[in-house]
Amino acid sequence: MAKEHAETALKVLVAVANNAKAPSAARVSAATAILDRGFGKPRQSVEVDGTMAGVMTVTYVSTAAGPPMAASDEDYETTE
């Protein structure tokens, strides 16, 4: 149901981002939302340090067009 309103929502975000009278925080937030939807969110790495001998980096990847792809064992990378 939300996808039915995507065009209107995007127009609102663009209007806020282009509105010189809008607060800077609102303009930045709208611009970030537009970029995230157009290009996807930037990759993020998380370092986990615990009982393991090394450090494990986990990267979450999602697409702008839908939910994250299903992961397989081949998708996981470990570093020592």
Side-chain angles (χ1 to χ4, degrees):
M1 290 188 321
K3 287 182 180 181
E4 294 174 14
H5 303 285
E7 186 176 345
T8 301
L10 184 57
K11 287 179 181 178
V12 169
L13 288 171
V14 171
V16 171
N18 289 330
N19 183 349
K21 293 182 180 181
S24 296
R27 294 182 70 198
V28 170
S29 180
T32 301
I34 292 166
L35 291 172
D36 287 350
R37 281 153 185 79
F39 296 101
K41 291 187 178 188
R43 289 183 177 217
Q44 296 179 356
S45 294
V46 178
E47 291 187 16
V48 178
D49 188 15
T51 59
M52 299 173 57
V55 175
M56 177 177 69
T57 301
V58 179
T59 303
Y60 296 93
V61 180
S62 64
T63 61
M69 297 181 292
S72 69
D73 289 342
E74 296 173 0
D75 293 331
Y76 297 101
E77 236 180 79
T78 59
T79 58
E80 295 182 26

